[in-house]
């Protein structure tokens, strides 16, 4: 009861305090507004006087003047004309007094006979040589003044021109009544004061209403602040803080009940294009609609949250059908919607974990769900569960990344080269540069142990530049005996995303002095599909420089045939998964033959990878494949060993009769490293 009584008392005290405080600025505001209004009204009166002086001069006075300077006096006709037109205006009260002065300021005509013995007005002299002059004055008159006295008037001086051609002849001095303007000012001020009083009254009423409802409003604001602290301001979905707390609750409950729970992270692909193309307003509108659809289709026991930007989080309290439920939600995300009349759709990459199988700590679970999401994005699979084998972010691997930075500078990296044999001639036309890391603790590390780590950071750019520089330097060191030998260097997706990569390649070529046609840049289908438009632009720049481009691992990815016609390719490398079992797998053999025919129809050289048996090599040769690469023909080897190996290789073409012998001999010479 004390609370209900105290609230009105508190509201009254608050109202009285607010009323007293607010009265001071309101009164000051009224005084300022009144002063401004009075000044504006005076300015309007002066402007009206100027306009009327111009009008009287042009329509009443100047037409009756002959055009002679008025300092000589008025002619009888001019005086009679002025008296006729002026008398009517003065009697009507529109003009209080009217005088005509010469150019020297002397009065030559006055409606009431005053001013003839006065000193010429300075304003009259100024007006004779400039423009209209207007001011407020009070009429006092002199002994001969029969006009009104003690009256405030608008005093104007207007130049007079007459004759043909028109020329200055004198000055019109005129006094207009200020009383109508003063009355307008008074009426306006009364209205202003009335409005201020009404406004102040309404303000007090509003203050009282606000004071009465203040306690209720404060309670609502506290509740709103609590809601906003845990929810996204744009979509009203739970935010990151609430998502973390609910994840902890869900994991704890699942562990206690010996059940599993799924935690998923969703990232919208290409959403930045929506913002860049249609503006952030439409992007926000799209996110709101997406949040509403996700919330409507989520199960009641599940949670959908917006974690920030275009990232969402999902908690599935029952993980038994996690992938199926997430696929349904992904379909909801990718459903086309209309935003301001435009149909929009985006794709989504979803990574998820199952607790407790993939972890019990919330931080660990979310970090692993994030890893899975990036795997889904990189593999274009849409949805991926966390797989430890694809996690390149554990502490040990992060330490390896830090060591790799020093390995580049400390000379721990080295290149091995694997030859590519031209089947028609049996010669080595090119070698592929393959990086190795001679780790001081772990020994010789192969690319699959550290390249995926480097590709997650900008360190891949330094590594790629080192490989390119070293490979071209080694190639130059082979001397004139290998003047036609080319070297192939692998390029990552991050390299293809660099706008200056082609310039970097051209710089290294110029520095090492190797002709561009002796460099082959190998790209994979996966790297190509990360950003096809930018990749096409980059490869076109390399092509213009004279660098050859090879599409590696062809057949494993999802390259559209339209890209093959658009890309400036010179070579297709058939993936070893099709080449290696051509003998046992007739379908793979058919694929290899089809790729060879496709490549030749597009004027491309075709290379078969993973050749390990003479039978496979024979089938490649029969299929018309241009080159072959594999352990049968030569294993990767250091530059010095490659030079010695090439010096002992048998020259000349490989014929049907001696193919197996040559291959066997080459295999015997190939170092097993």
């Amino acid at each position: 009861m004390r609370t209900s009584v105290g609230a009105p008392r508190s509201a009254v005290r608050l109202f009285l305090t607010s009323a007293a405080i607010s009265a001071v600025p309101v009164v000051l505001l009224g005084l300022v507004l009144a002063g401004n209004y009075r000044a504006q009204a005076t300015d309007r009166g002066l402007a009206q006087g100027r306009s009327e002086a111009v009008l009287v001069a042009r329509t009443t006075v100047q037409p009756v003047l002959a055009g002679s300077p008025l300092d000589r006096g008025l002619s009888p006709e001019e005086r009679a004309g002025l008296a006729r037109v002026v008398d009517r205006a003065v009697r009507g009260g529109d003009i209080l007094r009217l005088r005509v002065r010469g150019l020297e300021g002397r009065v030559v005509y006055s409606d009431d006979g005053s001013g003839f013995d006065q000193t010429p007005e300075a304003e009259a002299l100024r007006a004779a040589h400039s423009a209209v002059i207007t001011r407020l004055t009070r009429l006092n008159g002199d002994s001969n003044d029969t006009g009104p006295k003690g009256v405030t008037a608008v005093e104007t001086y207007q130049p007079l021109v007459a004759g043909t051609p028109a020329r200055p002849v004198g000055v019109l001095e005129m006094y207009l009544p200020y009383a109508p303007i003063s009355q307008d000012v008074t009426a306006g001020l009364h209205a202003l004061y009335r409005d201020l009083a009404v406004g102040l009254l309404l303000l007090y009423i509003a203050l009282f209403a606000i004071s009465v409802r203040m306690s209720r409003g404060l309670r609502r604001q506290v509740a709103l602040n609590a809601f906003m602290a845990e929810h996204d301001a744009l979509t009203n979905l739970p935010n990151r803080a609430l998502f973390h707390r609910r994840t902890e609750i869900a994991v704890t409950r699942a562990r206690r009940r010996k059940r599993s729970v799924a935690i998923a992270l969703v990232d919208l692909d290409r959403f930045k294009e929506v913002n860049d193309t249609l503006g952030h307003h439409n992007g926000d509108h799209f996110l709101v609609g997406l949040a509403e659809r996700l919330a409507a289709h989520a199960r009641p026991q599940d949670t959908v949250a917006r974690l920030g930007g275009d990232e969402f989080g999902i908690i599935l309290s029952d993980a038994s059908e996690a992938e199926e439920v997430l696929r349904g939600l992904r379909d909801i995300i990718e459903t086309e919607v209309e935003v301001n009349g435009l149909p929009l759709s985006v794709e989504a990459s979803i990574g998820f974990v199952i607790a407790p199988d993939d972890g019990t700590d919330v931080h660990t679970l979310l970090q692993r769900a994030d890893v899975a999401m990036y795997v889904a994005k990189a593999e274009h699979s849409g949805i991926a569960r966390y797989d430890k084998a694809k996690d390149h972010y554990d502490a040990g691997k992060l330490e390896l990344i830090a060591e790799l930075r020093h390995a580049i500078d400390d000379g721990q990296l080295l290149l091995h080269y694997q030859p590519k044999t031209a089947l028609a001639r049996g010669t080595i036309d090119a070698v592929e540069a393959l990086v190795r890391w001679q780790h001081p603790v772990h020994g010789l590390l192969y690319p699959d142990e550290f390249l995926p780590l480097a590709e997650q950071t900008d360190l891949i750019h330094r590594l790629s530049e080192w490989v390119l520089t070293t490979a071209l330097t080694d190639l130059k060191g082979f001397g004139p005996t290998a003047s036609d030998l080319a070297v192939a260097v692998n390029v990552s997706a991050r390299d293809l995303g660099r706008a200056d990569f082609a310039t970097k390649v051209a710089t290294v070529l110029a520095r090492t002095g190797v002709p561009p046609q002796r460099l082959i840049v190998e790209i994979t289908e996966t790297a190509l599909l990360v950003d096809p438009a930018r990749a096409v632009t980059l490869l076109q720049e390399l092509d213009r420089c004279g660098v050859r481009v090879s599409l590696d691992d062809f057949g494993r990815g999802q390259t559209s045939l339209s890209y093959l016609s658009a890309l400036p390719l010179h070579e297709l490398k058939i993936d070893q998964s099709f080449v290696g079992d051509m003998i046992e797998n007739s379908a793979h053999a058919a694929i290899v033959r089809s790729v060879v025919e496709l490549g030749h129809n597009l004027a491309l050289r075709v290379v078969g990878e993973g050749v390990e048996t003479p039978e496979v090599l024979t089938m490649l040769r029969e299929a018309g494949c241009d080159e072959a690469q594999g352990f049968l023909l030569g294993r990767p080897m250091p530059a010095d060993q490659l030079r010695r190996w090439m010096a002992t290789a048998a020259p000349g073409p490989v014929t049907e009769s001696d193919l197996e012998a040559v291959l066997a001999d080459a295999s015997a010479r190939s170092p097993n490293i």
Side-chain angles (χ1 to χ4, degrees):
M1 180 64 70
R2 286 196 300 270
T3 302
S4 62
V5 173
R9 290 178 179 174
S10 177
V12 170
R13 286 196 298 270
L14 179 61
F15 164 71
L16 293 176
T17 303
S18 301
I21 295 174
S22 61
V24 175
V26 169
V27 171
L28 292 176
L29 176 63
L31 294 175
V32 172
L33 291 177
N36 288 339
Y37 185 86
R38 191 183 300 277
Q40 292 174 6
T42 301
D43 291 341
R44 288 199 304 272
L46 295 176
Q48 180 180 340
R50 283 192 293 271
S51 300
E52 192 162 343
V54 172
L55 181 64
V56 171
R58 293 180 180 177
T59 62
T60 303
V61 178
Q62 290 177 172
V64 302
L65 300 178
S68 300
L70 300 181
D71 291 314
R72 304 173 184 174
L74 296 175
S75 66
E77 292 81 6
E78 290 175 326
R79 187 176 298 280
L82 284 174
R84 184 174 59 254
V85 297
V86 171
D87 184 59
R88 184 169 58 250
V90 172
R91 284 201 310 270
D94 297 330
I95 298 175
L96 297 178
R97 175 185 295 161
L98 185 145
R99 294 170 177 166
V100 176
R101 296 177 180 267
L103 293 174
E104 295 180 357
R106 295 283 182 180
V107 175
V108 298
Y109 176 83
S110 174
D111 70 284
D112 57 2
S114 63
F116 287 98
D117 56 348
Q118 293 179 353
T119 302
E121 293 281 354
E123 285 80 358
L125 292 174
R126 288 169 49 207
H129 303 285
S130 58
V132 181
I133 297 174
T134 309
R135 66 182 181 180
L136 284 180
T137 189
R138 181 173 292 275
L139 295 177
N140 294 319
D142 53 22
S143 57
N144 298 322
D145 193 348
T146 61
K149 300 178 179 63
V151 176
T152 302
V154 178
E155 181 181 7
T156 66
Y157 294 87
Q158 161 70 33
L160 293 174
V161 294
T164 304
R167 60 183 179 275
V169 296
V171 177
L172 172 64
E173 177 184 349
M174 192 167 62
Y175 297 82
L176 303 174
Y178 184 70
I181 299 173
S182 178
Q183 293 171 1
D184 179 64
V185 171
T186 302
L189 289 175
H190 287 165
L192 177 62
Y193 294 146
R194 184 179 63 250
D195 292 343
L196 286 174
V198 172
L200 188 59
L201 177 61
L202 293 176
L203 175 62
Y204 287 162
I205 294 173
L207 286 175
F208 183 75
I210 292 172
S211 301
V212 170
R213 302 178 61 183
M214 183 64 73
S215 58
R216 184 186 305 172
L218 288 175
R219 286 195 297 270
R220 289 178 179 173
Q221 187 62 46
V222 169
L224 177 61
N225 290 343
F227 179 84
M228 295 303 297
E230 296 184 332
H231 290 78
D232 175 54
L234 178 65
T235 63
N236 285 335
L237 291 178
N239 62 11
R240 185 179 293 273
L242 182 55
F243 181 74
H244 276 233
R245 188 159 65 255
R246 289 190 180 179
T247 300
E248 290 179 352
I249 295 172
V251 172
T252 302
R253 184 179 298 156
R255 189 169 54 224
R256 187 171 60 247
R257 297 178 179 178
K258 300 186 184 307
R259 300 178 63 180
S260 59
V261 61
I263 313 298
L265 296 182
V266 181
D267 185 76
L268 304 183
D269 301 331
R270 298 184 294 105
F271 179 72
K272 183 176 181 296
E273 298 176 11
V274 176
N275 280 334
D276 292 345
T277 305
L278 302 178
H280 288 273
H281 173 72
N282 284 322
D284 288 347
H285 190 67
F286 178 84
L287 288 176
V288 170
L290 174 59
E292 291 174 350
R293 296 200 310 276
L294 286 175
H297 288 83
R299 299 177 303 186
Q301 66 272 27
D302 298 335
T303 294
V304 177
R306 184 186 180 216
L307 307 184
D310 59 355
E311 186 179 11
F312 292 81
I314 299 173
I315 303 173
L316 303 179
S317 58
D318 182 5
S320 59
E321 300 177 346
E323 186 163 350
E324 181 180 349
V325 173
L326 291 175
R327 289 202 180 277
L329 293 177
R330 185 170 183 265
D331 291 339
I332 294 298
I333 294 173
E334 297 180 356
T335 301
E336 186 177 274
V337 295
E338 191 172 283
V339 176
N340 287 343
L342 297 173
L344 297 180
S345 65
V346 296
E347 296 178 351
S349 297
I350 302 178
F352 71 99
V353 291
I354 303 294
D357 296 351
D358 297 324
T360 56
D361 175 68
V362 172
H363 177 76
T364 301
L365 288 169
L366 293 178
Q367 187 268 336
R368 290 177 175 177
D370 197 51
V371 170
M373 184 267 290
Y374 278 105
V375 170
K377 190 182 292 288
E379 295 181 350
H380 301 277
S381 59
I383 297 178
R385 181 181 171 181
Y386 173 74
D387 183 352
K388 189 176 186 342
K390 298 179 180 180
D391 186 354
H392 307 306
Y393 299 90
D394 62 41
K397 292 179 179 178
L398 290 177
E399 182 180 356
L400 202 61
I401 279 288
E403 294 176 350
L404 181 57
R405 297 180 187 277
H406 300 292
I408 297 175
D409 299 326
D410 296 345
Q412 296 178 17
L413 300 183
L414 60 150
L415 289 183
H416 286 183
Y417 299 91
Q418 185 173 31
K420 295 196 297 184
T421 301
L423 295 181
R425 300 185 305 274
T427 57
I428 307 302
D429 289 347
V431 292
E432 180 179 357
L434 301 169
V435 66
R436 305 287 191 261
W437 181 2
Q438 190 63 55
H439 194 280
V441 176
H442 304 297
L444 187 66
L445 300 180
Y446 287 85
D448 58 350
E449 297 180 76
F450 60 89
L451 273 185
L453 304 177
E455 287 177 348
Q456 304 300 322
T457 70
D458 288 340
L459 184 60
I460 190 63
H461 300 316
R462 287 188 58 201
L463 182 58
S464 296
E465 187 170 354
W466 180 89
V467 170
L468 180 64
T469 302
T470 305
L472 292 176
T473 302
D474 287 347
L475 185 66
K476 187 72 176 296
F478 283 172
T481 58
S483 59
D484 294 330
L485 187 68
V487 64
V489 174
N490 293 282
V491 173
S492 73
R494 277 184 174 260
D495 292 325
L496 290 179
R498 290 188 62 178
D500 63 342
F501 182 72
T503 304
K504 292 282 187 184
V505 172
T507 300
V508 176
L509 284 168
R511 187 167 63 242
T512 56
V514 175
Q517 62 270 18
R518 296 183 66 187
L519 173 63
I520 302 172
V521 169
E522 292 193 4
I523 61 172
T524 63
E525 293 182 87
T526 303
L528 175 65
L529 291 175
V530 170
D531 191 345
R534 175 168 291 186
V536 169
T537 301
L538 171 63
L539 297 181
Q540 288 173 342
E541 292 178 7
L542 291 174
D543 181 60
R544 285 193 292 270
C545 292
V547 175
R548 289 183 280 172
V549 179
S550 174
L551 186 58
D552 197 9
D553 299 336
F554 184 73
R556 288 180 58 186
Q558 304 171 12
T559 301
S560 169
L561 293 180
S562 62
Y563 285 135
L564 293 182
S565 60
L567 291 171
L569 298 176
H570 301 81
E571 178 181 277
L572 285 183
K573 296 185 73 175
I574 307 174
D575 186 68
Q576 60 184 355
S577 62
F578 299 104
V579 175
D581 62 351
M582 287 177 62
I583 304 299
E584 302 84 9
N585 193 324
S586 59
H588 283 183
I591 290 174
V592 170
R593 288 192 295 270
S594 298
V595 173
V596 171
E597 183 178 0
L598 173 64
H600 289 167
N601 288 336
L602 294 173
L604 305 177
R605 291 183 64 81
V606 182
V607 181
E609 296 183 288
V611 178
E612 298 185 2
T613 66
E615 293 80 9
V616 168
L617 186 61
T618 299
M619 288 191 69
L620 282 178
R621 192 169 185 271
E622 291 173 349
C625 193
D626 301 294
E627 295 183 353
Q629 181 178 353
F631 286 179
L632 176 69
L633 302 170
R635 292 176 178 269
M637 62 194 82
D640 292 342
Q641 196 164 355
L642 174 66
R643 189 183 297 109
R644 293 193 302 269
W645 183 83
M646 290 179 61
T648 59
V654 180
T655 64
E656 290 286 352
S657 59
D658 61 5
L659 176 63
E660 292 188 9
V662 171
L663 292 177
D665 183 57
S667 180
R669 290 195 304 270
S670 176
N672 185 14
I673 58 174

